Amino acid sequence: MGNLYIIATPIGNLEDMTYRAIRTLKEVDIVFAEDTRTTGILFKKYEISNKLISYNAHNHRERNLEIIKYLEEGKNIGLVSDAGTPGISDPGYSAVSEVRKNLPEVKTITIPGASALTAFASILGVGTHAWTFYGFLPHKNGRQTLLKEMLESEYSSIFYESTHRIEKCLTELQKLQTPPNLPLSMGGIIRKVAIGKELTKIYEEILIGTPNELLEIFKLDPQKKKGEFVVMIV
């Protein structure tokens, strides 16, 4: 039996690659990647010439069968996502689940590295000791319920948001917030929001404020709402 390697890749800055990840990507027989074009850029930088096969939300069921077949043949398989650690808000967990179920003797080995979740939490300076991670929120069904739960929770909440929905998200949070002049003892909800934009990239930025304050920032500078975001309800 081969081994399955879950390999973290940079979330933006390609220099955040680990020596171990580079070595592993060169040594495995096949690499399954969420986006072969994105991973191809990484491969070019580090002179990795391994075979790339796409593995994404649309084809992961068929690809899981291929991964199992290759492992049974004794091939070592690498799995990478677009950015960060596979299995965190991407279909990579499905491969691990299927391999554990069908080939329990196969070793699943983590090659740790970058993660937007921990990178964001490390530079906020809010001292949070407990939080709930939601990944990407649903676009429609259950979205409002989740946001309301986050606002009412005694813990911090972290989730990912795209450039297309960040403004909508803040607007939703603004509407769900109780007017700030209502005391907490009467059910008032006064929560600030922290946003990590384009982490590790040229335009990396951290913004912290009420939903209304952040919406004003976006209104004054629309460029600030472009990119990939990690959001925390503090």
Side-chain angles (χ1 to χ4, degrees), residues 100-152:
R100 287 193 179 281
K101 181 171 67 176
N102 293 284
L103 301 175
E105 66 272 39
V106 165
K107 288 184 179 180
T108 302
I109 301 167
T110 178
I111 310 296
S115 168
L117 173 64
T118 51
F120 177 58
S122 72
I123 58 175
L124 278 183
V126 297
T128 182
H129 66 282
W131 35 263
T132 302
F133 176 60
Y134 290 86
F136 284 98
L137 302 185
H139 295 180
K140 294 180 180 178
N141 296 338
R143 183 181 174 91
Q144 295 287 315
T145 301
L146 271 181
L147 289 173
K148 192 170 186 298
E149 285 178 7
M150 292 180 202
L151 288 170
E152 294 174 347

Short mmCIF file of all heavy atoms in Angstrom, two decimals, residues 100-152:
data_model
loop_
_atom_site.label_atom_id
_atom_site.label_comp_id
_atom_site.label_asym_id
_atom_site.label_seq_id
_atom_site.Cartn_x
_atom_site.Cartn_y
_atom_site.Cartn_z
N ARG A 100 -9.71 6.21 4.77
CA ARG A 100 -9.80 5.61 6.11
C ARG A 100 -10.85 4.51 6.17
O ARG A 100 -10.69 3.51 6.87
CB ARG A 100 -10.11 6.70 7.14
CG ARG A 100 -8.95 7.63 7.44
CD ARG A 100 -9.20 8.47 8.67
NE ARG A 100 -8.08 9.34 8.97
CZ ARG A 100 -6.96 8.95 9.57
NH1 ARG A 100 -6.81 7.69 9.91
NH2 ARG A 100 -5.99 9.82 9.82
N LYS A 101 -11.93 4.70 5.42
CA LYS A 101 -13.02 3.72 5.44
C LYS A 101 -12.67 2.47 4.63
O LYS A 101 -12.95 1.34 5.06
CB LYS A 101 -14.29 4.36 4.87
CG LYS A 101 -15.50 3.43 4.87
CD LYS A 101 -16.77 4.18 4.52
CE LYS A 101 -16.75 4.66 3.07
NZ LYS A 101 -18.03 5.31 2.69
N ASN A 102 -12.06 2.66 3.46
CA ASN A 102 -11.81 1.54 2.56
C ASN A 102 -10.42 0.92 2.68
O ASN A 102 -10.24 -0.26 2.38
CB ASN A 102 -12.01 2.00 1.10
CG ASN A 102 -13.45 2.34 0.80
OD1 ASN A 102 -14.29 1.47 0.63
ND2 ASN A 102 -13.74 3.64 0.75
N LEU A 103 -9.44 1.71 3.11
CA LEU A 103 -8.08 1.21 3.26
C LEU A 103 -7.51 1.62 4.62
O LEU A 103 -6.62 2.46 4.72
CB LEU A 103 -7.18 1.78 2.13
CG LEU A 103 -7.58 1.47 0.69
CD1 LEU A 103 -6.67 2.22 -0.28
CD2 LEU A 103 -7.53 -0.02 0.41
N PRO A 104 -8.05 1.06 5.68
CA PRO A 104 -7.63 1.47 7.03
C PRO A 104 -6.15 1.24 7.31
O PRO A 104 -5.59 1.86 8.21
CB PRO A 104 -8.51 0.62 7.95
CG PRO A 104 -8.94 -0.55 7.12
CD PRO A 104 -9.06 -0.01 5.73
N GLU A 105 -5.51 0.38 6.53
CA GLU A 105 -4.09 0.11 6.75
C GLU A 105 -3.19 1.18 6.13
O GLU A 105 -1.98 1.24 6.41
CB GLU A 105 -3.71 -1.27 6.19
CG GLU A 105 -3.83 -1.40 4.67
CD GLU A 105 -5.21 -1.82 4.20
OE1 GLU A 105 -6.21 -1.34 4.77
OE2 GLU A 105 -5.28 -2.61 3.24
N VAL A 106 -3.75 2.03 5.29
CA VAL A 106 -2.97 3.09 4.64
C VAL A 106 -2.67 4.20 5.65
O VAL A 106 -3.53 4.62 6.42
CB VAL A 106 -3.73 3.68 3.43
CG1 VAL A 106 -3.11 5.00 2.98
CG2 VAL A 106 -3.71 2.68 2.28
N LYS A 107 -1.43 4.68 5.62
CA LYS A 107 -1.05 5.80 6.48
C LYS A 107 -1.48 7.12 5.84
O LYS A 107 -1.17 7.37 4.67
CB LYS A 107 0.46 5.81 6.70
CG LYS A 107 0.97 4.71 7.61
CD LYS A 107 2.47 4.87 7.85
CE LYS A 107 2.99 3.80 8.78
NZ LYS A 107 4.46 3.95 9.01
N THR A 108 -2.20 7.96 6.59
CA THR A 108 -2.53 9.31 6.15
C THR A 108 -1.62 10.25 6.93
O THR A 108 -1.71 10.34 8.16
CB THR A 108 -4.00 9.65 6.43
OG1 THR A 108 -4.82 8.68 5.75
CG2 THR A 108 -4.34 11.04 5.91
N ILE A 109 -0.74 10.92 6.20
CA ILE A 109 0.33 11.69 6.84
C ILE A 109 0.15 13.18 6.57
O ILE A 109 -0.01 13.61 5.41
CB ILE A 109 1.71 11.24 6.30
CG1 ILE A 109 1.89 9.74 6.59
CG2 ILE A 109 2.84 12.07 6.91
CD1 ILE A 109 3.05 9.11 5.86
N THR A 110 0.14 13.99 7.61
CA THR A 110 0.00 15.42 7.44
C THR A 110 1.36 16.09 7.24
O THR A 110 2.33 15.78 7.94
CB THR A 110 -0.71 16.06 8.65
OG1 THR A 110 -0.79 17.48 8.45
CG2 THR A 110 0.04 15.80 9.95
N ILE A 111 1.42 17.00 6.27
CA ILE A 111 2.59 17.84 6.04
C ILE A 111 2.12 19.26 6.35
O ILE A 111 1.59 19.97 5.48
CB ILE A 111 3.11 17.73 4.59
CG1 ILE A 111 3.27 16.26 4.18
CG2 ILE A 111 4.43 18.48 4.46
CD1 ILE A 111 4.31 15.49 4.97
N PRO A 112 2.23 19.70 7.61
CA PRO A 112 1.61 20.95 8.02
C PRO A 112 2.27 22.19 7.43
O PRO A 112 3.42 22.15 6.99
CB PRO A 112 1.77 20.91 9.55
CG PRO A 112 2.98 20.08 9.78
CD PRO A 112 2.97 19.05 8.69
N GLY A 113 1.51 23.27 7.45
CA GLY A 113 2.02 24.53 6.92
C GLY A 113 1.00 25.63 7.10
O GLY A 113 0.32 25.70 8.11
N ALA A 114 0.88 26.46 6.08
CA ALA A 114 0.03 27.65 6.17
C ALA A 114 -1.44 27.31 6.34
O ALA A 114 -1.94 26.34 5.78
CB ALA A 114 0.24 28.52 4.93
N SER A 115 -2.13 28.16 7.12
CA SER A 115 -3.58 28.09 7.28
C SER A 115 -4.07 29.51 7.52
O SER A 115 -3.59 30.19 8.44
CB SER A 115 -3.96 27.19 8.46
OG SER A 115 -5.32 27.35 8.78
N ALA A 116 -5.02 29.96 6.71
CA ALA A 116 -5.55 31.32 6.86
C ALA A 116 -6.18 31.51 8.23
O ALA A 116 -6.11 32.60 8.81
CB ALA A 116 -6.57 31.61 5.76
N LEU A 117 -6.77 30.46 8.76
CA LEU A 117 -7.45 30.54 10.05
C LEU A 117 -6.49 30.93 11.17
O LEU A 117 -6.71 31.90 11.90
CB LEU A 117 -8.10 29.19 10.35
CG LEU A 117 -8.74 28.99 11.72
CD1 LEU A 117 -9.91 29.94 11.91
CD2 LEU A 117 -9.19 27.55 11.88
N THR A 118 -5.40 30.18 11.32
CA THR A 118 -4.46 30.46 12.40
C THR A 118 -3.61 31.69 12.12
O THR A 118 -3.23 32.40 13.05
CB THR A 118 -3.56 29.24 12.66
OG1 THR A 118 -2.98 28.80 11.43
CG2 THR A 118 -4.36 28.10 13.26
N ALA A 119 -3.31 31.93 10.84
CA ALA A 119 -2.54 33.13 10.50
C ALA A 119 -3.30 34.38 10.91
O ALA A 119 -2.73 35.33 11.47
CB ALA A 119 -2.26 33.15 8.99
N PHE A 120 -4.60 34.39 10.66
CA PHE A 120 -5.46 35.52 11.00
C PHE A 120 -5.54 35.71 12.52
O PHE A 120 -5.34 36.80 13.04
CB PHE A 120 -6.84 35.27 10.41
CG PHE A 120 -7.87 36.32 10.73
CD1 PHE A 120 -7.68 37.64 10.39
CD2 PHE A 120 -9.06 35.97 11.35
CE1 PHE A 120 -8.64 38.60 10.66
CE2 PHE A 120 -10.03 36.91 11.62
CZ PHE A 120 -9.81 38.24 11.29
N ALA A 121 -5.82 34.61 13.24
CA ALA A 121 -5.98 34.70 14.69
C ALA A 121 -4.70 35.19 15.36
O ALA A 121 -4.73 35.89 16.37
CB ALA A 121 -6.39 33.35 15.25
N SER A 122 -3.54 34.86 14.77
CA SER A 122 -2.26 35.18 15.41
C SER A 122 -1.92 36.67 15.37
O SER A 122 -1.13 37.14 16.18
CB SER A 122 -1.13 34.39 14.74
OG SER A 122 -0.85 34.90 13.44
N ILE A 123 -2.52 37.43 14.44
CA ILE A 123 -2.14 38.84 14.31
C ILE A 123 -3.25 39.80 14.72
O ILE A 123 -3.11 41.02 14.55
CB ILE A 123 -1.69 39.17 12.86
CG1 ILE A 123 -2.78 38.85 11.85
CG2 ILE A 123 -0.41 38.43 12.53
CD1 ILE A 123 -2.43 39.26 10.43
N LEU A 124 -4.33 39.29 15.28
CA LEU A 124 -5.43 40.17 15.68
C LEU A 124 -5.17 40.90 16.99
O LEU A 124 -5.56 42.05 17.15
CB LEU A 124 -6.73 39.36 15.82
CG LEU A 124 -7.48 39.07 14.53
CD1 LEU A 124 -8.77 38.34 14.86
CD2 LEU A 124 -7.77 40.34 13.77
N GLY A 125 -4.53 40.22 17.93
CA GLY A 125 -4.28 40.84 19.21
C GLY A 125 -5.53 41.03 20.05
O GLY A 125 -5.59 41.94 20.88
N VAL A 126 -6.52 40.17 19.84
CA VAL A 126 -7.75 40.29 20.63
C VAL A 126 -7.77 39.34 21.82
O VAL A 126 -8.69 39.35 22.63
CB VAL A 126 -9.01 40.06 19.76
CG1 VAL A 126 -9.10 41.11 18.68
CG2 VAL A 126 -9.00 38.65 19.14
N GLY A 127 -6.76 38.48 21.91
CA GLY A 127 -6.64 37.61 23.07
C GLY A 127 -7.72 36.57 23.20
O GLY A 127 -8.02 36.11 24.30
N THR A 128 -8.33 36.17 22.09
CA THR A 128 -9.40 35.18 22.17
C THR A 128 -8.83 33.81 22.54
O THR A 128 -7.83 33.37 22.00
CB THR A 128 -10.17 35.10 20.84
OG1 THR A 128 -11.23 34.15 20.99
CG2 THR A 128 -9.29 34.67 19.69
N HIS A 129 -9.47 33.14 23.50
CA HIS A 129 -9.01 31.82 23.91
C HIS A 129 -9.94 30.72 23.43
O HIS A 129 -9.62 29.54 23.54
CB HIS A 129 -8.91 31.76 25.45
CG HIS A 129 -10.23 31.88 26.13
ND1 HIS A 129 -10.87 33.08 26.28
CD2 HIS A 129 -11.03 30.92 26.69
CE1 HIS A 129 -12.02 32.88 26.91
NE2 HIS A 129 -12.15 31.58 27.16
N ALA A 130 -11.10 31.11 22.93
CA ALA A 130 -12.06 30.11 22.45
C ALA A 130 -12.86 30.70 21.30
O ALA A 130 -13.36 31.81 21.39
CB ALA A 130 -13.00 29.69 23.58
N TRP A 131 -12.93 29.94 20.20
CA TRP A 131 -13.72 30.42 19.08
C TRP A 131 -14.28 29.23 18.30
O TRP A 131 -13.82 28.11 18.43
CB TRP A 131 -12.93 31.32 18.14
CG TRP A 131 -11.48 30.99 17.95
CD1 TRP A 131 -10.43 31.56 18.59
CD2 TRP A 131 -10.91 30.03 17.03
NE1 TRP A 131 -9.24 31.02 18.15
CE2 TRP A 131 -9.50 30.08 17.19
CE3 TRP A 131 -11.45 29.14 16.11
CZ2 TRP A 131 -8.64 29.28 16.45
CZ3 TRP A 131 -10.59 28.34 15.36
CH2 TRP A 131 -9.20 28.42 15.55
N THR A 132 -15.29 29.52 17.51
CA THR A 132 -15.92 28.52 16.65
C THR A 132 -15.60 28.87 15.20
O THR A 132 -15.74 30.03 14.80
CB THR A 132 -17.44 28.49 16.84
OG1 THR A 132 -17.72 28.24 18.23
CG2 THR A 132 -18.08 27.40 16.01
N PHE A 133 -15.18 27.88 14.43
CA PHE A 133 -14.85 28.09 13.02
C PHE A 133 -15.96 27.54 12.15
O PHE A 133 -16.36 26.39 12.31
CB PHE A 133 -13.52 27.42 12.69
CG PHE A 133 -13.15 27.51 11.23
CD1 PHE A 133 -12.99 28.75 10.61
CD2 PHE A 133 -12.97 26.36 10.48
CE1 PHE A 133 -12.65 28.83 9.29
CE2 PHE A 133 -12.62 26.43 9.15
CZ PHE A 133 -12.46 27.67 8.54
N TYR A 134 -16.46 28.35 11.21
CA TYR A 134 -17.60 27.96 10.38
C TYR A 134 -17.23 27.70 8.92
O TYR A 134 -18.11 27.34 8.13
CB TYR A 134 -18.66 29.07 10.43
CG TYR A 134 -19.37 29.17 11.75
CD1 TYR A 134 -18.84 29.95 12.78
CD2 TYR A 134 -20.56 28.50 12.01
CE1 TYR A 134 -19.47 30.05 14.01
CE2 TYR A 134 -21.20 28.60 13.24
CZ TYR A 134 -20.65 29.38 14.23
OH TYR A 134 -21.28 29.48 15.45
N GLY A 135 -15.97 27.89 8.53
CA GLY A 135 -15.61 27.73 7.13
C GLY A 135 -16.31 28.78 6.30
O GLY A 135 -16.45 29.93 6.71
N PHE A 136 -16.75 28.42 5.09
CA PHE A 136 -17.55 29.32 4.26
C PHE A 136 -19.02 29.20 4.67
O PHE A 136 -19.53 28.10 4.83
CB PHE A 136 -17.40 28.98 2.78
CG PHE A 136 -16.10 29.43 2.19
CD1 PHE A 136 -15.04 28.54 2.06
CD2 PHE A 136 -15.91 30.75 1.77
CE1 PHE A 136 -13.83 28.95 1.51
CE2 PHE A 136 -14.71 31.17 1.24
CZ PHE A 136 -13.66 30.27 1.11
N LEU A 137 -19.68 30.32 4.81
CA LEU A 137 -21.09 30.30 5.19
C LEU A 137 -21.96 29.90 4.00
O LEU A 137 -21.59 30.12 2.85
CB LEU A 137 -21.53 31.69 5.67
CG LEU A 137 -20.77 32.29 6.85
CD1 LEU A 137 -21.43 33.61 7.26
CD2 LEU A 137 -20.74 31.34 8.02
N PRO A 138 -23.13 29.32 4.25
CA PRO A 138 -24.06 29.03 3.15
C PRO A 138 -24.48 30.33 2.48
O PRO A 138 -24.57 31.37 3.13
CB PRO A 138 -25.24 28.35 3.84
CG PRO A 138 -25.14 28.75 5.27
CD PRO A 138 -23.69 28.92 5.56
N HIS A 139 -24.72 30.28 1.18
CA HIS A 139 -25.10 31.49 0.45
C HIS A 139 -26.51 31.94 0.81
O HIS A 139 -26.80 33.14 0.85
CB HIS A 139 -25.01 31.26 -1.06
CG HIS A 139 -23.60 31.01 -1.52
ND1 HIS A 139 -23.28 30.77 -2.83
CD2 HIS A 139 -22.43 30.96 -0.83
CE1 HIS A 139 -21.97 30.59 -2.93
NE2 HIS A 139 -21.44 30.69 -1.74
N LYS A 140 -27.39 30.98 1.04
CA LYS A 140 -28.80 31.33 1.29
C LYS A 140 -29.34 30.63 2.54
O LYS A 140 -29.40 31.20 3.61
CB LYS A 140 -29.64 30.99 0.06
CG LYS A 140 -29.30 31.84 -1.16
CD LYS A 140 -30.17 31.47 -2.35
CE LYS A 140 -29.82 32.33 -3.57
NZ LYS A 140 -30.63 31.95 -4.75
N ASN A 141 -29.76 29.36 2.38
CA ASN A 141 -30.43 28.65 3.46
C ASN A 141 -29.59 28.55 4.72
O ASN A 141 -28.47 28.04 4.70
CB ASN A 141 -30.80 27.23 3.00
CG ASN A 141 -31.81 27.25 1.86
OD1 ASN A 141 -32.52 28.22 1.69
ND2 ASN A 141 -31.86 26.17 1.10
N GLY A 142 -30.14 29.07 5.81
CA GLY A 142 -29.47 28.98 7.11
C GLY A 142 -28.45 30.05 7.39
O GLY A 142 -27.90 30.11 8.50
N ARG A 143 -28.19 30.91 6.44
CA ARG A 143 -27.17 31.94 6.61
C ARG A 143 -27.51 32.92 7.74
O ARG A 143 -26.69 33.18 8.62
CB ARG A 143 -26.97 32.68 5.29
CG ARG A 143 -25.87 33.73 5.31
CD ARG A 143 -25.77 34.44 3.95
NE ARG A 143 -24.83 35.53 4.00
CZ ARG A 143 -23.53 35.41 3.71
NH1 ARG A 143 -23.03 34.24 3.36
NH2 ARG A 143 -22.73 36.47 3.76
N GLN A 144 -28.74 33.45 7.70
CA GLN A 144 -29.15 34.41 8.71
C GLN A 144 -29.15 33.79 10.11
O GLN A 144 -28.75 34.43 11.08
CB GLN A 144 -30.55 34.94 8.39
CG GLN A 144 -30.64 35.76 7.10
CD GLN A 144 -30.00 37.13 7.28
OE1 GLN A 144 -30.22 37.79 8.27
NE2 GLN A 144 -29.22 37.55 6.30
N THR A 145 -29.57 32.55 10.19
CA THR A 145 -29.61 31.86 11.48
C THR A 145 -28.19 31.72 12.05
O THR A 145 -27.97 31.95 13.25
CB THR A 145 -30.24 30.46 11.32
OG1 THR A 145 -31.56 30.61 10.81
CG2 THR A 145 -30.28 29.72 12.65
N LEU A 146 -27.23 31.35 11.19
CA LEU A 146 -25.85 31.20 11.63
C LEU A 146 -25.27 32.52 12.13
O LEU A 146 -24.62 32.58 13.17
CB LEU A 146 -24.99 30.66 10.49
CG LEU A 146 -24.87 29.15 10.35
CD1 LEU A 146 -23.97 28.79 9.18
CD2 LEU A 146 -24.34 28.52 11.63
N LEU A 147 -25.50 33.58 11.36
CA LEU A 147 -24.97 34.89 11.75
C LEU A 147 -25.56 35.34 13.09
O LEU A 147 -24.85 35.91 13.93
CB LEU A 147 -25.27 35.92 10.65
CG LEU A 147 -24.47 35.77 9.36
CD1 LEU A 147 -24.97 36.74 8.30
CD2 LEU A 147 -22.98 35.99 9.60
N LYS A 148 -26.84 35.09 13.27
CA LYS A 148 -27.48 35.46 14.53
C LYS A 148 -26.88 34.66 15.69
O LYS A 148 -26.64 35.20 16.79
CB LYS A 148 -28.99 35.23 14.45
CG LYS A 148 -29.79 35.86 15.59
CD LYS A 148 -31.28 35.78 15.31
CE LYS A 148 -32.08 36.54 16.37
NZ LYS A 148 -31.90 35.98 17.72
N GLU A 149 -26.61 33.37 15.46
CA GLU A 149 -26.00 32.54 16.49
C GLU A 149 -24.61 33.07 16.86
O GLU A 149 -24.24 33.09 18.04
CB GLU A 149 -25.87 31.09 15.99
CG GLU A 149 -27.18 30.32 15.98
CD GLU A 149 -27.00 28.93 15.42
OE1 GLU A 149 -25.83 28.53 15.16
OE2 GLU A 149 -28.00 28.23 15.24
N MET A 150 -23.87 33.51 15.86
CA MET A 150 -22.54 34.05 16.12
C MET A 150 -22.61 35.31 16.98
O MET A 150 -21.82 35.48 17.92
CB MET A 150 -21.84 34.38 14.80
CG MET A 150 -21.49 33.19 13.95
SD MET A 150 -20.67 33.74 12.42
CE MET A 150 -20.96 32.35 11.37
N LEU A 151 -23.54 36.18 16.65
CA LEU A 151 -23.67 37.43 17.40
C LEU A 151 -24.08 37.18 18.85
O LEU A 151 -23.71 37.92 19.76
CB LEU A 151 -24.70 38.35 16.72
CG LEU A 151 -24.26 39.00 15.41
CD1 LEU A 151 -25.43 39.68 14.73
CD2 LEU A 151 -23.13 40.00 15.64
N GLU A 152 -24.84 36.12 19.06
CA GLU A 152 -25.34 35.83 20.40
C GLU A 152 -24.40 34.93 21.21
O GLU A 152 -24.58 34.78 22.42
CB GLU A 152 -26.72 35.18 20.31
CG GLU A 152 -27.79 36.11 19.75
CD GLU A 152 -29.12 35.42 19.52
OE1 GLU A 152 -29.15 34.16 19.58
OE2 GLU A 152 -30.12 36.11 19.29
#
